[in-house]
Amino acid sequence: MSDARQSTGAGRLWGGRFTAGPDAAAWQLGVSTGFDRHLWRQDLAGSRAHVHELHRIGVLTDAERDELLAGLDRCAALFADDAFPFQPDDEDVHGAIERWLVEELGEVGGKLRAGRSRNDQIASDLRLWCRDACDELVGLIGELQHAFVGQAEAHLDWLAPGYTHLQRGQPVLLSHHLLAYVWMLDRDAGRLRDARARLDASVLASGALAGQTLGLDAQAYADHLGFARVAENSIDAVASRDFALEVLAACAILATTLSRLGEEIVLWATSEFGFARVGDAFSTGSSIMPQKRNPDVAELTRGKAGRVIGDLVALLTTIKALPLAYDRDLQEDKEPVFDAVGTLQLVLPAITGTVASLSFDRDRLAAASVGGFALATDLAEELVTRGVPFREAHEVVGEVVRLAESQGVDLDGLDPQQLAAVHPALDADVAARFDVQEAIRRRDGINATAVASVEAQLARARDAADTNRA
Ligand code: ARG
């Protein structure tokens, strides 16, 4: 192998036992600075904690500690300016930072590696990153929930058709339909919180897998980094990525919620439905059809679900057969996590703006809410209150619907004699059940669609949104 095919390996942390440098293709395969550079904040935070611990156990003098902390600060400033000088021979962000510290500070830069391994470093970095990502996503979910709360409040008593099987089922309030998303999103936020709580354990001082001999205190790292507790087992600490899987699963489910929302916006904005119009700022034109007004943001929201679900499946597949403890395969954990979180950070504000921009067509919604025999269930339930078993009431109303359909009218278009002929319990008073407002008003359970119920729900929804946004 010629030298040209070899890396110089100057940025390697492990050259000692080898006589030749790595093959260039092998090196390229292993280099991770292209993506793990995003962990610089977390890596430097871990290094600061480590400097303090090395100082406490006497490995660093006061002066060395101060020199290293100042060096780490300068390093952070470079990263913050996007000016950190990565070299082609830097294998990963940990190696790059160590190389830079040695160049900058000389021998003392090489003291930082004592008692730690990239295995515990990377696990710590990713946990810290995921912790912040969960917080950020929960906040963005809160913003989206607020967009729904605002729309629900502005359209509190507007009618809308409620669907099952995408067939008109029963009338509801538009606000009730909109608030359904607040609770779906609330569980999405809850899953991120749960994942965050479970991953909130410190892994530094685990070393490569078995801990270390220097007397470093795992609890001290937890305290420095603000972790809630210390991971119980050093092998588990470096080998496990179920925390990342949980974050990805929560992301995938959130993306699925958003995809359903995107689909519904697309549908409601068609001329066929015509229930909603997306604001100009969240619509796109066509390059050839001048009349077009396309709901691209909603479509992309739906489309992005595919890649976020893919990110979850990718990492599940990577991890499923790995023996304990650390395996290099685990380097593949970062990109799916970054991609899923980054995708949602892009999608959430855009779909939030889209929801806030929606204008609704009151007349079309009202017309659709009463069409299609939407009050048939109300009529059947009325018969139940008159002593008819529901099984029979269902049959009877089915016959009434068939009759109305054959005459091309809705239920309220049938004359009272015709109704009475179908069943004696269908007297003139049942006409009261053909009123959509009445149908809404009577559904006054705490989770139902009466105006007063939705008003109370709205207050709870606002609290939920506030909690997440905070
Ligand atoms: N770049 C590695 C990763 O992301 C860091 C740990 C490498 N450890 C090792 N023994 N090669 O997982």
Side-chain angles (χ1 to χ4, degrees):
M1 187 184 311
S2 77
D3 281 354
R5 289 270 299 145
Q6 293 181 337
S7 159
T8 65
R12 270 183 294 144
L13 301 178
W14 43 263
R17 59 119 51 232
F18 295 99
T19 49
D23 174 82
W27 181 258
Q28 279 314 311
L29 176 64
V31 167
S32 57
T33 51
F35 49 89
D36 65 17
R37 64 177 65 202
H38 298 304
L39 295 171
W40 66 267
R41 261 177 234 283
Q42 293 75 15
D43 207 66
L44 292 175
S47 288
R48 276 192 208 98
H50 192 51
V51 168
H52 286 294
E53 267 305 276
L54 289 177
H55 173 258
R56 188 186 62 77
I57 64 173
V59 166
L60 297 176
T61 65
D62 289 2
E64 287 172 328
R65 173 198 60 194
D66 296 344
E67 213 184 328
L68 277 163
L69 289 175
L72 291 169
D73 284 347
R74 289 200 297 284
C75 187
L78 285 173
F79 273 108
D81 289 348
D82 205 13
F84 180 83
F86 278 105
Q87 301 299 330
D89 279 323
D90 292 331
E91 188 176 16
D92 54 27
V93 67
H94 326 294
I97 290 171
E98 182 177 308
R99 179 210 23 97
W100 184 88
L101 282 172
V102 172
E103 282 167 14
E104 186 80 359
L105 307 175
E107 202 171 60
V108 67
K111 292 200 163 187
L112 198 52
R113 206 195 302 168
R116 70 175 178 179
S117 154
R118 288 179 292 166
N119 300 355
D120 61 355
Q121 254 184 294
I122 193 66
S124 178
D125 291 0
L126 193 58
R127 280 173 188 259
L128 286 170
W129 193 92
C130 284
R131 211 170 61 171
D132 290 347
C134 288
D135 289 344
E136 227 178 287
L137 290 176
V138 167
L140 291 172
I141 289 173
E143 300 293 341
L144 176 53
Q145 289 176 304
H146 265 293
F148 277 112
V149 167
Q151 289 285 20
E153 194 169 30
H155 304 91
L156 183 66
D157 61 352
W158 289 33
L159 295 171
Y163 290 92
T164 65
H165 311 266
L166 200 53
Q167 307 287 322
R168 288 174 195 168
Q170 294 168 340
V172 292
L173 293 184
L174 174 60
S175 50
H176 192 49
H177 185 103
L178 295 172
L179 289 177
Y181 281 102
V182 171
W183 304 113
M184 293 160 73
L185 289 164
D186 212 49
R187 291 188 298 278
D188 289 323
R191 274 181 280 273
L192 288 163
R193 288 180 196 283
D194 290 350
R196 186 205 194 281
R198 240 182 317 275
L199 67 77
D200 199 6
S202 185
V203 297
L204 289 179
S206 297
L209 81 157
Q212 32 67 47
T213 60
L214 298 175
L216 298 166
D217 175 17
Q219 183 60 51
Y221 291 95
D223 295 342
H224 272 292
L225 297 169
F227 279 112
R229 58 189 187 281
V230 173
E232 299 283 351
N233 178 305
S234 62
I235 295 175
D236 176 40
V238 297
S240 293
R241 293 294 183 276
D242 52 285
F243 73 87
L245 289 175
E246 270 198 286
V247 171
L248 281 172
C251 285
I253 298 173
L254 168 59
T256 305
T257 302
L258 298 177
S259 180
R260 294 184 78 173
L261 167 62
E263 166 65 11
E264 205 149 59
I265 292 173
V266 169
L267 214 54
W268 282 32
T270 57
S271 11
E272 285 74 9
F273 274 75
F275 294 164
R277 185 181 169 91
V278 177
D280 280 1
F282 298 92
S283 299
T284 315
S286 157
S287 53
I288 180 167
M289 298 169 282
Q291 84 286 9
K292 285 304 286 292
R293 180 186 183 82
N294 295 327
D296 287 30
V297 175
E299 293 171 275
L300 285 166
T301 297
R302 190 177 56 189
K304 295 282 188 191
R307 71 189 275 171
V308 178
I309 293 166
D311 290 327
L312 168 62
V313 174
L315 190 57
L316 282 166
T317 314
T318 297
I319 292 174
K320 78 179 213 1
L322 296 183
L324 300 182
Y326 178 86
D327 301 279
R328 189 63 181 274
D329 315 46
L330 291 174
Q331 183 162 299
E332 293 296 312
D333 61 355
K334 285 164 277 303
E335 284 172 294
V337 173
F338 294 162
D339 184 71
V341 171
T343 299
L344 289 165
Q345 284 169 333
L346 211 55
V347 166
L348 279 163
I351 197 68
T352 298
T354 303
V355 168
S357 84
L358 290 174
S359 52
F360 296 95
D361 187 324
R362 187 169 203 163
D363 294 340
R364 284 188 71 103
L365 283 162
S369 74
V370 292
F373 310 106
L375 299 176
T377 316
D378 292 60
L379 184 58
E381 286 180 0
E382 177 64 22
L383 289 178
V384 167
T385 67
R386 295 171 184 215
V388 181
F390 189 79
R391 190 182 164 80
E392 187 187 341
H394 191 284
E395 280 291 308
V396 168
V397 176
E399 205 180 318
V400 171
V401 166
R402 190 148 29 85
L403 190 65
E405 208 166 29
S406 73
Q407 296 180 18
V409 295
D410 211 325
L411 297 181
D412 58 358
L414 290 168
D415 80 39
Q417 278 107 57
Q418 285 181 302
L419 281 173
V422 178
H423 194 282
L426 292 171
D427 62 25
D429 292 348
V430 298
R433 294 293 154 259
F434 300 145
D435 178 45
V436 64
Q437 295 294 351
E438 186 61 11
I440 301 276
R441 198 187 56 71
R442 286 157 51 96
R443 290 184 162 80
D444 59 359
I446 52 167
N447 63 358
T449 196
V451 175
S453 301
V454 175
E455 224 165 2
Q457 184 192 158
L458 195 57
R460 298 192 299 271
R462 188 178 291 106
D463 285 348
D466 281 343
T467 302
N468 289 328
R469 191 161 65 174

